[in-house]
Each structure stands twice: as C-alpha cells, then as structure tokens.
Amino acid sequence: VWKNINKLKKIQNIKKIFSPYEAQPHQNFLNYRLNLKNNKIKTIGYVHSTQAFPIHLFKRDGAPKKLFVHGKDQKYHLIKFLGWKKSDIQLIPSLKIRNKNKKNYQNLIYLPYIIEDFNFYLDNIRFLLTTHKNKFSHALKVKLHPYRKNKKTHLKLKKEIELFIAKNKFNKKLSFCNPIVLGTSSVVLEILENNLKPYHIY
C-alpha cells in the first residue's frame, strides 16, 4: 500500500482523509507516513464500533488528528483516560446505528465473530427454539458474520442450526419474528434502536 501511495505525485494536494478507525497498526502507519509526506493533511477517523473498554484507542503516533464518535461516554473516556484533547473529538450522530426497515433484522439468527464454545451456542440455540417454538417464524435464517463466511467452524455451526430448524415446526402464521444474536455483537444496539426485542445468547 505504501509503495502505491509513494507514487502519488499530487500527495501535496490532498487536504483531508476520512476513514473508519479501529486503531489497527496499518491505519496508524498509513496516517503517520502520509503526514511525513504532507503534514497539512487532516486525517479524520470515525469510531463506528461500540465497545465496553476501548483502550486500543489511546492517542499515539499515527492516530488521526481528529476523531468522530457517536457517544458522549466515548468522548468522555477518550479525553479523560486515553490522551485526546477536547478539540480532537467531535460528537456526531451514529453513521451505523440508525433506524432501518425492521424487516432487515427480523427472522435472523446472527452468528458471532468469534465462536468461543461451539457446543454452548448450539445447545442454547436448540433450547431457545424448542421452548419458544410459537414465537419463531418458519422463515428463520442463519446469518454469518461478513468476515467469517469461509470459516469452517462458523459454517459448521450454521449448518447444524439449519438442520435443527428444518426438523422442527415453527409458527407458520408468523411472518416475522424477533432476531436471535449469538455472542458479542453491536448489531444488538441496531436492533434495539429499531424497537425490536432480540434474544441474546451470550
């Protein structure tokens, strides 16, 4: 990536770079090297995720010059504990968590990014679906995390849940049902913002 950026002849003309920010090493490296070439570039990062203890966001070389966040508690934590100045942080409405069509979330079982315990998730999803059959639609589908579509463990769990759904009779009169979320996921917040009541297996 840096070799390609080094070839940019008009790097001096770049005024502003806006990108999602997770404090990944490559993100900090990129910001750092760009500012070595042109210190006038205003790097702006958007913290899209919501995490309980985001210590990875401490201010350091390569961090964006300005951060956009969507929570007052995020802003407070960054300034109070992680070395950011008040002028570095701007509070904006969430670009990720907003009202959407409820149908986008209904009838879905969301698999987690990390499967800590395969049997835990499988046993509990079976228990939930068995004990609340009348609350779930026959149109239930399993949704993989976008970055785990080729992961064997995730594909195996998806298949096991789908086989269980196929063998059981759910409410055919129910067109839509509340979603089920497995593990840690910010999608829970999106669902709640859309006035749905998710089941959370964690």
Side-chain angles (χ1 to χ4, degrees):
V1 174
W2 178 242
K3 288 180 180 179
N4 293 330
I5 290 174
N6 243 349
K7 293 176 183 177
L8 288 175
K9 295 180 180 179
K10 296 183 179 180
I11 196 167
Q12 297 301 324
N13 295 335
I14 298 174
K15 294 180 179 180
K16 189 184 294 183
I17 294 176
F18 180 84
S19 63
Y21 185 65
E22 295 180 337
Q24 298 280 357
H26 70 272
Q27 293 176 319
N28 291 320
F29 175 77
L30 187 61
N31 287 332
Y32 178 75
R33 295 303 293 265
L34 281 168
N35 281 138
L36 281 180
K37 284 284 185 180
N38 180 4
N39 193 45
K40 292 181 180 180
I41 296 175
K42 188 175 183 179
T43 50
I44 302 170
Y46 172 58
V47 181
H48 63 90
S49 60
T50 304
Q51 296 168 315
F53 194 50
I55 56 171
H56 60 290
L57 294 174
F58 69 90
K59 185 71 179 284
R60 59 191 182 278
D61 287 344
K65 292 179 179 177
K66 197 173 189 70
L67 271 190
F68 286 177
V69 300
H70 59 262
K72 291 180 181 178
D73 54 342
Q74 285 180 314
K75 182 176 180 179
Y76 171 81
H77 190 261
L78 288 163
I79 296 168
K80 181 73 175 178
F81 302 108
L82 301 182
W84 294 81
K85 294 179 182 178
K86 192 175 182 179
S87 57
D88 295 335
I89 311 296
Q90 185 172 333
L91 188 63
I92 65 169
S94 174
L95 302 178
K96 179 180 179 183
I97 302 172
R98 56 180 61 191
N99 289 334
K100 297 179 182 178
N101 190 331
K102 289 184 179 181
K103 292 179 183 178
N104 292 343
Y105 302 100
Q106 292 170 317
N107 298 341
L108 290 175
I109 299 172
Y110 290 87
L111 297 195
Y113 180 75
I114 297 173
I115 295 176
E116 302 96 338
D117 189 329
F118 184 94
N119 291 326
F120 171 83
Y121 288 124
L122 185 58
D123 291 344
N124 278 280
I125 194 75
R126 285 173 175 171
F127 176 80
L128 176 64
L129 294 175
T130 301
T131 54
H132 293 77
K133 273 189 178 182
N134 63 320
K135 293 184 178 180
F136 292 109
S137 167
H138 64 287
L140 267 178
K141 292 182 179 179
V142 182
K143 185 178 178 67
L144 288 165
H145 189 282
Y147 291 108
R148 288 293 186 262
K149 289 185 176 180
N150 298 314
K151 195 80 172 176
K152 289 182 180 179
T153 308
H154 287 70
L155 291 170
K156 183 181 178 183
L157 182 58
K158 180 177 184 287
K159 186 177 180 180
E160 289 289 340
I161 295 172
E162 287 173 340
L163 286 172
F164 184 80
I165 291 171
K167 291 178 182 178
N168 286 271
K169 295 179 181 179
F170 295 103
N171 196 337
K172 290 186 177 181
K173 295 180 181 179
L174 202 62
S175 298
F176 300 102
C177 66
N178 282 312
I180 303 169
V181 181
L182 277 62
T184 304
S185 177
S186 60
V187 76
V188 174
L189 299 175
E190 294 182 45
I191 294 166
L192 291 172
E193 282 291 319
N194 283 272
N195 297 316
L196 293 172
K197 297 178 180 178
Y199 297 86
H200 195 185
I201 296 174
Y202 176 70

